[in-house]
C-alpha cells in the first residue's frame, strides 16, 4: 500500500463534520510544533527496529526472575501472572503503536498525553517515566556485574567491573543512535538465540533426552503442585495461593518493562510508520513464545519448592534452566548461559539509557524540562540529555558498600510502580485519542497500524494497571514495615504532585474532543516514508521475514 493511501483527506473530514475544525492549532505556549528545533535524525533501519522490538529490553527479569516467579506462585500461578501482565503489555503496545503510527515524533507518549489529554498529564508521565527508566540503568548494570561473580567472586574487583560496564553502556549511547542500533541488533540476536536454546533444552530435559534419561512430563505439576502460597495466610489455602499470584505480578512486570522502546525510537527511525507497524504486529508472538512458553517450560522442569530457587545469587546459578540442567547432569551449558545473561543485562542497561535520554529530550523540546537538554550535535545526538542520563548509571557503584545497597534497593522498589503508571497513561491517552479521532471524523483504519480491538484493549490495559498500582505493596499489610510501605506507594503521591503542580502552575485543562490537535507539528506520510521495494532473491526474502 503506498503512502498516498494513508494520507488524510482533511477537506472531506470538514464536510462530514462541519462543526469541527480539523485544523485545530493549540495555544503556542504548549509548543506542539517543534520541527525547527527537533534536530534528531532518522538513522535506525528496519532491521534495528525489528530486533529492538523483539528483544531490546530482554534482561535479567526474564532469564533470572522467572525462577523467583516460579517459587512465589507455582507453575500455573506464574503462568497466569505472566499471561495477565503480558496482555497488559500488549494492550499498551497496541495503543502506543497506533498513536505513533499517526505521529512518529520526538516526545512519544508523554507528549501524546500532553497533546490529547492534558499538558499536566504529559509533564507528570514524562518525568515519572524518565525516573523509572534512568533508575533501571544501574539496576541492570549491577545485574551484569553480579553475573561476573560466577567466574570471579573477588569482592575487591566489583568496583572495577561495574566501572567498565558503565563506560561501555554510556559510550554506546554517546557515539550516536546508529551505533546504539547496531549494538542492540547484535545483542538481540544473542538473546533470542539463547532464549530459544533454553526453551528447546528445557523441552528436551522434560521429555527425557538429558544424560540421566529421566522423563519429567507434568510430574512437578502434581507434586509439589500447580500453585504455591505466599505464606501470608497459611490457614486459608485458597487465599494464600491467590496472594502468591499477586506477589509475582511485580516480578513479571519487570520482565516486560520497556517493550514500548520501539515507539520511543520512532522519531529516529527510517520509514517509522511502516516499521513501527510491522514491529507492533510481531510483538504478540514475542510475548507468546519467549515469555508465556518460556515460563511454561520452566514450570515443567523445576519444582517450585526446589531450595536452589530461593538462593538469590544473581548469577546463572539462580536460573531455573541452570538448576534443571544441573539436576539432569548437564555440566557445560551453565557457564555459557551466564555469559548470555550478562550480555542481556548490559543490553537492557543500554536500551533503558537510550529510552530515558529521549524522554528527557522530548520534555525539553516542549518546555517541560530545561531547554539545555534539547541541544543536539550536528549528527542529531541529544548529547546533553544522554550525558545527564548517564550520570545516574554511577548509582550502580552504591551496591559495592552494604549501606549503599540498602538505599539502592529503595530506588529500585520506587521505580517498580513507575512502569505501571507509564502503561496506564499510554492506555488512558489512547482512549482520549480514539475519542478525538472519532469526533473529528478521522478514519483510523487509514493509519499504517490500527487495531480492530480498540478501544477495548486500552480499557483492559488501563483497568489492570490501576489494579496493579493498588496491590503493588500488598505484603506490607501483613508484615508491615515503614520503608516497605513507603517504597511501594510513595510513587502515587509523587505522580499526582507532578500532575497537580504543573496544572496549577500553568493553568492547564483537559482537552475536549473538538480541541484536540491532530495536525500541528506532525509530518505527513509523504515526509517520513520512502518507497517500499519488494524483496528480491532468497536472502532478501529471508531478511524480510526475520527483520
Amino acid at each position: 500500500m503506498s503512502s498516498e493511501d494513508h494520507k488524510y483527506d482533511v477537506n472531506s473530514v470538514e464536510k462530514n463534520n462541519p462543526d469541527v475544525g480539523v485544523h485545530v492549532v493549540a495555544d503556542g505556549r504548549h509548543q506542539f510544533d517543534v520541527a525547527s528545533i527537533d534536530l534528531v535524525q532518522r538513522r535506525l533501519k528496519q532491521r534495528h527496529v525489528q530486533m529492538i522490538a523483539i528483544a531490546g529490553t530482554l534482561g535479567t527479569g526474564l532469564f533470572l526472575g522467572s525462577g523467583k516467579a516460579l517459587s512465589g506462585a507455582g507453575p500455573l500461578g506464574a503462568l497466569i501472572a505472566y499471561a495477565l501482565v503480558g496482555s497488559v503489555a500488549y494492550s499498551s503496545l497496541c495503543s502506543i503503536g497506533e498513536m505513533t503510527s499517526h505521529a512518529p515524533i520526538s516526545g512519544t507518549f508523554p507528549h501524546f498525553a500532553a497533546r490529547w489529554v492534558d499538558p499536566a498529564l504529559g509533564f507528570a508521565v514524562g518525568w515519572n517515566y524518565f525516573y523509572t527508566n534512568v533508575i533501571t540503568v544501574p539496576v541492570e548494570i549491577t545485574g551484569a556485574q553480579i553475573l561476573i561473580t560466577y567466574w570471579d567472586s573477588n569482592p575487591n574487583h566489583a568496583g572495577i567491573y561495574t566501572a567498565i560496564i558503565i563506560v561501555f553502556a554510556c559510550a554506546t549511547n554517546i557515539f550516536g543512535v546508529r551505533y546504539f542500533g547496531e549494538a542492540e541488533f547484535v545483542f538481540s540476536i544473542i538473546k533470542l538465540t539463547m532464549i530459544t536454546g533454553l526453551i528447546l533444552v528445557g523441552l528436551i530435559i522434560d521429555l527425557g533426552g538429558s544424560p540421566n534419561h529421566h522423563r519429567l512430563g507434568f510430574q512437578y505439576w502434581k507434586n509439589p503442585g500447580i500453585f504455591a502460597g505466599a505464606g501470608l495466610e497459611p490457614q486459608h489455602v485458597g487465599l494464600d495461593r491467590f496472594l502468591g499470584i499477586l506477589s509475582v505480578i511485580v516480578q513479571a512486570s519487570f520482565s516486560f518493562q520497556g517493550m514500548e522502546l520501539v515507539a520511543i525510537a520512532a522519531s529516529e527511525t527510517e520509514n517509522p510508520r511502516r516499521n513501527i507497524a510491522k514491529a507492533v504486529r510481531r510483538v504478540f508472538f514475542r510475548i507468546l513464545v519467549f515469555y508465556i512458553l518460556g515460563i511454561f517450560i520452566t514450570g515443567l522442569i523445576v519444582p517450585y519448592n526446589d531450595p536452589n530457587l530461593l538462593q538469590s545469587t544473581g548469577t546463572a546459578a539462580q536460573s531455573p534452566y541452570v538448576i534443571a540442567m544441573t539436576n539432569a547432569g548437564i555440566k557445560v551449558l551453565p557457564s555459557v548461559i551466564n555469559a548470555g545473561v550478562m550480555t542481556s543485562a548490559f543490553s537492557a542497561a543500554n536500551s533503558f539509557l537510550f529510552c530515558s535520554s529521549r524522554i528527557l529530550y522530548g520534555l525539553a523540546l516542549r518546555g517541560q524540562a530545561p531547554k539545555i537538554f534539547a541541544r543536539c550535535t550536528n549528527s542529531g545526538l541529544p548529547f546533553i540529555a544522554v550525558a545527564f542520563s548517564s550520570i545516574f548509571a554511577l548509582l550502580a557503584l552504591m551496591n559495592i558498600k552494604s549501606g549503599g545497597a540498602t538505599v539502592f534497593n529503595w530506588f529500585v522498589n520506587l521505580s517498580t510502580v513507575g512502569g505501571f503508571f507509564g502503561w496506564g497513561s499510554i492506555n488512558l491517552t489512547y482512549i482520549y485519542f480514539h475519542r478525538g479521532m472519532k469526533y473529528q471524523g478521522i478514519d483510523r483504519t487509514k493509519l499504517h497500524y490500527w487495531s480492530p480491538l480498540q478501544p477495548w484493549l486500552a480499557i483492559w490495559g488501563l483497568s489492570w494497571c490501576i489494579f496493579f498500582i493498588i496491590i503493588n505493596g500488598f505484603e506490607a499489610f501483613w508484615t508491615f514495615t515503614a520503608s516497605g510501605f513507603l517504597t511501594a506507594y510513595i510513587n502515587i503521591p509523587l505522580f499526582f504532585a507532578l500532575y497537580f503542580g504543573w496544572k496549577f502552575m500553568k493553568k492547564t485543562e483537559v482537552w475536549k474532543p473538538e480541541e484536540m490537535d491532530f495536525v500541528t507539528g506532525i509530518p505527513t506520510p509523504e515526509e517520513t516514508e520512502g518507497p517500499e521495494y519488494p524483496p528480491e532473491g532468497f536472502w532478501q526474502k529471508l531478511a524480510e521475514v526475520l527483520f
Side-chain angles (χ1 to χ4, degrees):
M1 185 176 290
S2 69
S3 58
E4 188 65 31
D5 294 328
H6 292 277
K7 185 177 181 181
Y8 304 130
D9 185 350
V10 176
N11 292 327
S12 68
V13 174
E14 289 175 333
K15 290 174 184 176
N16 291 338
N17 200 345
D19 296 327
V20 177
V22 174
H23 289 286
V24 176
V25 179
D27 190 321
R29 65 197 171 107
H30 298 306
Q31 302 179 50
F32 286 173
D33 188 1
V34 294
S36 61
I37 59 173
D38 185 3
L39 302 178
V40 295
Q41 299 174 12
R42 300 191 185 277
R43 291 171 174 256
L44 288 176
K45 297 184 179 296
Q46 176 176 318
R47 60 187 176 87
H48 298 144
V49 174
Q50 299 309 318
M51 294 307 284
I52 288 171
I54 295 172
T57 51
L58 281 179
T60 54
L62 176 62
F63 293 114
L64 301 184
S66 56
K68 185 177 179 181
L70 179 62
S71 64
L76 185 56
L79 188 63
I80 292 171
Y82 268 71
L84 176 58
V85 176
S87 72
V88 175
Y90 178 68
S91 69
S92 304
L93 202 64
C94 288
S95 295
I96 194 175
E98 189 168 320
M99 292 187 290
T100 303
S101 186
H102 173 71
I105 53 179
S106 291
T108 186
F109 68 89
H111 172 58
F112 298 158
R115 189 180 191 112
W116 297 316
V117 184
D118 184 342
L121 180 64
F123 177 80
V125 171
W127 280 104
N128 170 80
Y129 197 73
F130 167 76
Y131 166 77
T132 299
N133 280 273
V134 85
I135 204 65
T136 309
V137 175
V139 174
E140 294 289 356
I141 289 174
T142 300
Q145 180 271 314
I146 293 173
L147 285 157
I148 295 175
T149 63
Y150 189 81
W151 301 294
D152 182 1
S153 57
N154 188 332
N156 296 323
H157 296 166
I160 298 172
Y161 291 133
T162 301
I164 291 172
I165 297 167
I166 290 172
V167 169
F168 274 102
C170 296
T172 305
N173 277 271
I174 289 171
F175 284 147
V177 70
R178 175 65 65 83
Y179 292 94
F180 167 78
E182 293 295 350
E184 284 308 299
F185 180 75
V186 174
F187 290 143
S188 293
I189 289 176
I190 293 172
K191 288 189 280 188
L192 291 178
T193 302
M194 185 171 71
I195 189 63
T196 303
L198 288 176
I199 289 173
L200 290 174
V201 169
L203 192 59
I204 290 169
I205 291 173
D206 185 65
L207 296 176
S210 60
N212 64 11
H213 300 296
H214 177 58
R215 181 185 174 91
L216 297 174
F218 282 85
Q219 74 175 53
Y220 294 141
W221 284 48
K222 299 174 183 176
N223 182 26
I226 57 176
F227 291 110
L232 299 174
E233 289 287 343
Q235 302 301 319
H236 305 88
V237 177
L239 175 60
D240 199 48
R241 288 174 174 175
F242 174 71
L243 295 176
I245 296 174
L246 291 187
S247 70
V248 175
I249 293 291
V250 172
Q251 170 59 47
S253 69
F254 187 74
S255 302
F256 286 97
Q257 187 177 345
M259 293 185 73
E260 57 279 2
L261 169 62
V262 65
I264 292 170
S267 63
E268 297 176 71
T269 301
E270 294 179 357
N271 305 312
R273 290 177 164 97
R274 193 159 64 233
N275 284 325
I276 298 300
K278 183 182 291 186
V280 172
R281 290 189 186 104
R282 292 179 176 179
V283 163
F284 175 79
F285 300 101
R286 165 194 169 182
I287 293 174
L288 196 63
V289 174
F290 299 131
Y291 288 92
I292 307 304
L293 181 59
I295 199 73
F296 172 71
I297 295 294
T298 297
L300 293 178
I301 57 178
V302 180
Y304 72 73
N305 59 356
D306 190 306
N308 292 313
L309 287 175
L310 302 177
Q311 297 178 2
S312 298
T313 62
T315 68
Q318 180 185 335
S319 168
Y321 290 100
V322 171
I323 294 171
M325 290 175 194
T326 303
N327 294 342
I330 302 173
K331 302 183 183 299
V332 180
L333 288 178
S335 190
V336 176
I337 293 170
N338 197 72
V341 177
M342 186 186 70
T343 301
S344 75
F346 173 78
S347 168
N350 201 21
S351 294
F352 286 120
L353 180 55
F354 173 87
C355 205
S356 56
S357 65
R358 290 341 187 248
I359 292 292
L360 182 60
Y361 171 73
L363 288 168
L365 281 178
R366 296 175 177 88
Q368 294 186 322
K371 281 292 184 186
I372 191 172
F373 294 125
R375 290 187 181 179
C376 285
T377 64
N378 292 334
S379 60
L381 174 72
F383 65 102
I384 301 293
V386 172
F388 181 74
S389 301
S390 298
I391 293 172
F392 289 83
L394 297 174
L395 290 173
L397 295 171
M398 293 175 66
N399 260 337
I400 298 171
K401 299 294 183 181
S402 57
T406 303
V407 178
F408 181 77
N409 286 331
W410 289 348
F411 281 126
V412 175
N413 293 334
L414 278 171
S415 71
T416 305
V417 75
F420 293 140
F421 271 109
W423 285 352
S425 300
I426 288 171
N427 288 300
L428 175 64
T429 302
Y430 180 83
I431 293 169
Y432 276 77
F433 168 83
H434 185 277
R435 187 174 65 170
M437 295 278 277
K438 185 176 181 180
Y439 185 89
Q440 297 191 20
I442 301 175
D443 187 0
R444 294 169 44 244
T445 63
K446 295 292 181 66
L447 294 171
H448 277 73
Y449 174 78
W450 68 282
S451 173
L453 299 178
Q454 293 286 23
W456 307 111
L457 272 179
I459 294 170
W460 169 270
L462 175 61
S463 302
W464 280 110
C465 283
I466 294 171
F467 177 73
F468 293 161
I469 290 169
I470 293 171
I471 61 96
N472 169 59
F474 76 92
E475 291 168 328
F477 295 99
W478 273 264
T479 54
F480 183 83
T481 61
S483 62
F485 181 82
L486 283 174
T487 54
Y489 291 108
I490 193 67
N491 248 30
I492 298 175
L494 284 176
F495 183 88
F496 286 106
L498 288 169
Y499 175 75
F500 287 111
W502 189 262
K503 192 172 187 66
F504 292 141
M505 188 169 67
K506 297 294 183 178
K507 303 293 188 292
T508 68
E509 295 182 359
V510 176
W511 297 109
K512 298 174 183 177
E514 64 270 20
E515 297 172 340
M516 295 180 188
D517 184 350
F518 292 102
V519 178
T520 305
I522 298 175
T524 65
E526 288 77 12
E527 293 176 284
T528 62
E529 310 305 301
E532 187 172 11
Y533 301 106
E536 297 179 0
F538 173 77
W539 294 111
Q540 284 191 18
K541 290 179 179 177
L542 180 62
E544 179 71 16
V545 171
L546 294 176
F547 309 126

